[in-house]
Amino acid sequence: MKILVPVKRVIDYNVKPRVKADQSGVDLANVKMSMNPFDEIAVEEAIRLKEAGKADEIVVVSIGEQKAQETLRTGLAMGADRGILVVADAMPEPLAVAKILAKVVEEESPDLVILGKQAIDDDSNQVGQMLAALLDWPQGTFASKVEPADGKVNVTREVDGGLETLSLSTPAIITTDLRLNEPRYASLPNIMKAKKKPIDEKTPADYGVDTAARLEVLKVIEPPKREAGEIVPDVDTLVAKIKEKGFAA
Amino acid sequence: MSTLILADHDNKELAPATLVAVTAAAKLGGDVHVLVAGEGSQAVADAAAKIAGVAKVLHADDAAYGHALAENLAPLVEGLMGDYDYLLAPATSTGKNVLPRVAAKMDTQMISEIVAINDDGSFDRPTYAGNAISTVKSSDAKKVITVRGTAFDKADAEGGSASVEAVSGAGDSGKSSFVSAEIAESERPELTSAGIVVSGGRALQSGENFEKIIEPLADKLGAAVGASRAAVDAGYVPNDYQVGQTGKIVAPELYIAIGISGAIQHLAGMKDSKTIIAINKDEDAPIFSVADYGLVADLYKAVPELTEKL
Ligand SMILES: Cc1cc2nc3c(=O)[nH]c(=O)nc-3n(C[C@H](O)[C@H](O)[C@H](O)COP(=O)(O)OP(=O)(O)OC[C@H]3O[C@@H](n4cnc5c(N)ncnc54)[C@H](O)[C@@H]3O)c2cc1C
């Protein structure tokens, strides 16, 4: 079984994003960037399937600026076998990303594509579902458990009321939720080894995909700031405040 | 102009978040129709017909739609979109799962989790865990949108008298099937629509402590119970309790955060609450920067005392 894992280079989750004064976006200059945390979980899941003898090749693919190569190297250091970098000047929208990935899937013919459920920058939560639509494959989104067996894959999903398990025919799309696994750190020897693993470089044009934006971003602003309130000295004062506000009699 | 809303429901009851989408649709103007796709879901179709402002209910009742499988729902919805300019759904787990699949089939760049509709036809949506609000304008002919449940008021569940029309689609795609579900039944108010939420974090240390310390306070206040990711990951409470960027978004009248540090991913899910109370033993915890009332104290002492004195 072959697994394709798309990975996105995003602002590190520990960094507090700052909106630019000209309202054109979030300031990413000199900000620590990392692999989207959900994508790390996707890479980890693929590696675990390989370690369990259920997969034999893992291909990581990233779409974005040239520096997304670093993100691919992270995936390779974790244990993926090779990478594909699709260099785009501006980050394409989710639909265009899904279209590029659909072409990569055509070329690579994976049995599973495992993606993060959302990127922590645009918070769209779309690409996996869109890719599934374009390929006409089934989708197991927000997965907290993935069990391939006999040409099918069982996916347990985190839904509003709790958990739900679906059985999907393969090939299939899976998007990861937080509790699917805990991603490993790459060891130093593996980071060194990853430098020698092959990365193929492409452009959206190579795949014949139009990446023109459909959404015009008119402005990006900071949300209204919440003023910090008061520190109360003791439980009695807190009780008084709660009653004052009418939350308890 | 007209809008189709994909209703969220469990075949018995309409999810309240659907009413929020109705309000957003009314703001867009034109006719508002609601699609109820399910199995044995007549009660839901009847309820949808009573929502104030809904002109028509489309009802697709088929075993294929009973578990809201995206593979079966997407072609049904896409097939109905010929007559509509907008497709809306509440940003619930079903809306988030199904709508992008429909959007891609329609070659449309979907707009996720809007929080405002502007007069110039643009939409506001939070990005970067709510640290940036983007205003976007779509050039697509038809627009596909999910609506954040806390961003608009709920439409009146009564007062409408829409006609109900049966519709059908291709049914089962054969690509996916439902196996099982673990859905917790609770007597408490539902997290996303509760007026008061009491949430616990890693500091609770066990599920037992959640029961002993968080739940009695929640019961006293008639509140829903929430949690941080750390508390869910550690198995103290089920996954559907998680509040945050990637969990549930809540904006109750009162949110009480107990033993939660206030990471940006958690704040993203609760900072629009009307009043926030934080109880944490670390006076520098970031949660205090958004709290209206903060109490620096050991929760194991302070919370039982609070519960008793209320
Ligand atoms: C991709 C991604 C998505 C995420 N999504 C979410 C999300 O949706 N929701 C979410 O919540 N998190 C999310 N997180 C995790 C988030 O970054 C934090 O790790 C998490 O919120 C921390 O939970 P916590 O506050 O319970 O734990 P901690 O940060 O460990 O805080 C525990 C707090 O308890 C206090 N404390 C300890 N003992 C006591 C005591 N006896 N009395 C009083 N106070 C005490 C401590 O002072 C501390 O402030 C996400 C992270 C990532 C990377």
Side-chain angles (χ1 to χ4, degrees):
Chain A
M1 183 164 83
K2 180 167 166 181
I3 304 177
L4 183 71
V5 184
V7 294
K8 186 179 186 184
R9 180 175 186 266
V10 299
I11 189 169
D12 187 84
Y13 79 95
N14 269 316
V15 176
K16 177 152 167 56
R18 304 256 171 234
V19 171
K20 287 194 229 171
D22 67 0
Q23 304 194 337
S24 63
V26 165
D27 194 357
L28 296 177
N30 304 314
V31 164
K32 184 177 181 212
M33 304 290 281
S34 300
M35 186 188 290
N36 178 40
F38 289 98
D39 304 350
E40 278 186 339
I41 295 172
V43 174
E44 177 67 32
E45 194 63 16
I47 296 168
R48 289 190 189 185
L49 288 170
K50 189 174 171 188
E51 286 169 348
K54 290 182 177 155
D56 35 50
E57 191 186 17
I58 301 166
V59 181
V60 282
V61 51
S62 192
I63 299 164
E65 56 182 326
Q66 190 71 40
K67 282 188 180 151
Q69 174 149 3
E70 294 164 14
T71 311
L72 287 175
R73 291 282 170 215
T74 304
L76 296 172
M78 286 173 73
D81 298 296
R82 60 188 171 86
I84 302 171
L85 176 64
V86 184
V87 182
D89 305 330
M91 183 56 76
E93 290 170 345
L95 179 62
V97 168
K99 286 179 180 176
I100 293 168
L101 292 176
K103 294 288 181 185
V104 175
V105 167
E106 251 173 52
E107 280 183 13
E108 296 284 343
S109 309
D111 303 281
L112 283 182
V113 184
I114 310 182
L115 310 88
K117 78 165 179 180
Q118 80 191 64
I120 60 163
D121 51 2
D122 65 27
D123 281 332
S124 286
N125 194 333
Q126 296 178 2
V127 171
Q129 298 88 315
M130 288 184 155
L131 179 60
L134 297 174
L135 297 168
D136 222 359
W137 288 8
Q139 64 190 51
T141 54
F142 326 148
S144 66
K145 201 169 175 194
V146 174
E147 299 170 296
D150 309 324
K152 299 225 172 218
V153 55
N154 271 11
V155 179
T156 301
R157 309 179 53 231
E158 295 205 0
V159 295
D160 287 343
L163 297 171
E164 168 189 272
T165 302
L166 304 180
S167 165
L168 310 178
S169 62
T170 52
I173 302 292
I174 288 162
T175 77
T176 63
D177 218 316
L178 294 170
R179 278 164 284 277
L180 181 57
N181 60 51
E182 237 178 273
R184 70 194 64 194
Y185 291 102
S187 66
L188 199 56
N190 285 342
I191 292 172
M192 299 313 288
K193 263 197 256 165
K195 292 191 172 152
K196 298 207 190 73
K197 291 183 180 174
I199 293 182
D200 229 7
E201 211 173 296
K202 303 271 196 182
T203 67
D206 292 335
Y207 297 109
V209 173
D210 174 10
T211 56
R214 310 281 189 87
L215 299 181
E216 185 191 353
V217 179
L218 301 181
K219 64 171 196 280
V220 178
I221 60 164
E222 229 176 86
K225 248 208 163 64
R226 230 194 139 94
E227 296 299 321
E230 54 181 298
I231 295 289
V232 297
D234 51 33
V235 171
D236 288 326
T237 316
L238 190 57
V239 169
K241 295 287 180 195
I242 291 173
K243 291 190 173 168
E244 214 172 274
K245 289 251 170 190
F247 294 120
Chain B
M1 219 182 48
S2 56
T3 298
L4 182 66
I5 297 172
L6 177 63
D8 195 314
H9 64 88
D10 61 0
N11 293 312
K12 295 186 207 86
E13 282 175 44
L14 199 61
T18 308
L19 301 172
V20 175
V22 172
T23 302
K27 188 135 199 245
L28 293 168
D31 278 348
V32 179
H33 295 182
V34 174
L35 169 63
V36 174
E39 179 187 15
S41 54
Q42 187 62 44
V44 181
D46 293 342
K50 290 202 191 99
I51 304 172
V54 172
K56 196 201 267 186
V57 173
L58 306 181
H59 187 203
D61 206 74
D62 187 312
Y65 307 131
H67 294 288
L69 296 171
E71 297 75 15
N72 300 350
L73 277 185
L76 169 73
V77 178
E78 190 206 355
L80 294 168
M81 276 306 292
D83 299 335
Y84 298 97
D85 305 291
Y86 291 92
L87 171 63
L88 262 56
T92 55
S93 51
T94 299
K96 290 176 182 175
N97 185 40
V98 176
L99 248 62
R101 192 169 175 113
V102 182
K105 297 248 188 217
M106 292 167 59
D107 194 31
T108 296
Q109 176 52 58
M110 173 176 147
I111 308 170
S112 294
E113 288 211 38
I114 62 161
V115 294
I117 298 169
N118 304 310
D119 292 338
D120 63 354
S122 63
F123 302 94
D124 293 352
R125 59 174 302 264
T127 55
Y128 290 87
N131 286 288
I133 308 290
S134 292
T135 302
V136 297
K137 196 161 190 174
S138 162
S139 59
D140 284 315
K142 294 181 189 252
K143 303 185 198 336
V144 178
I145 296 167
T146 52
V147 180
R148 181 167 282 197
T150 53
F152 301 86
D153 292 333
K154 290 188 189 81
D156 221 325
E158 302 287 335
S161 57
S163 59
V164 179
E165 185 183 305
V167 295
S168 59
D172 189 3
S173 74
K175 290 183 182 9
S176 59
S177 57
F178 173 83
V179 177
S180 62
E182 285 170 49
I183 306 291
E185 294 288 336
S186 167
E187 296 296 306
R188 284 204 187 78
E190 198 269 322
L191 188 52
T192 56
S193 51
I196 302 179
V197 173
V198 179
S199 284
R202 194 196 312 268
L204 268 300
Q205 294 178 314
S206 70
E208 218 170 86
N209 286 338
F210 249 86
E211 277 170 37
K212 274 200 332 232
I213 292 169
I214 301 292
E215 290 184 7
L217 177 59
D219 290 340
K220 198 102 186 213
L221 292 166
V225 176
S228 70
R229 173 195 174 182
V232 177
D233 282 4
Y236 308 162
V237 288
N239 65 286
D240 49 298
Y241 282 43
Q242 183 178 315
V243 171
Q245 179 186 20
T246 55
K248 291 201 169 120
I249 309 289
V250 302
E253 294 295 316
L254 175 62
Y255 187 91
I256 307 184
I258 298 171
I260 292 178
S261 62
I264 61 168
Q265 292 87 3
H266 188 79
L267 300 184
M270 46 63 79
K271 70 175 179 212
D272 291 332
S273 305
K274 280 250 172 58
T275 300
I276 296 174
I277 293 175
I279 301 174
N280 195 303
K281 69 175 182 191
D282 173 11
E283 61 179 326
D284 294 324
I287 191 75
F288 287 127
S289 69
V290 299
D292 299 286
Y293 305 109
L295 178 65
V296 182
D298 182 347
L299 73 90
Y300 292 95
K301 277 221 203 82
V303 179
E305 186 186 338
L306 176 63
T307 307
E308 202 208 294
K309 288 184 172 165
L310 275 172

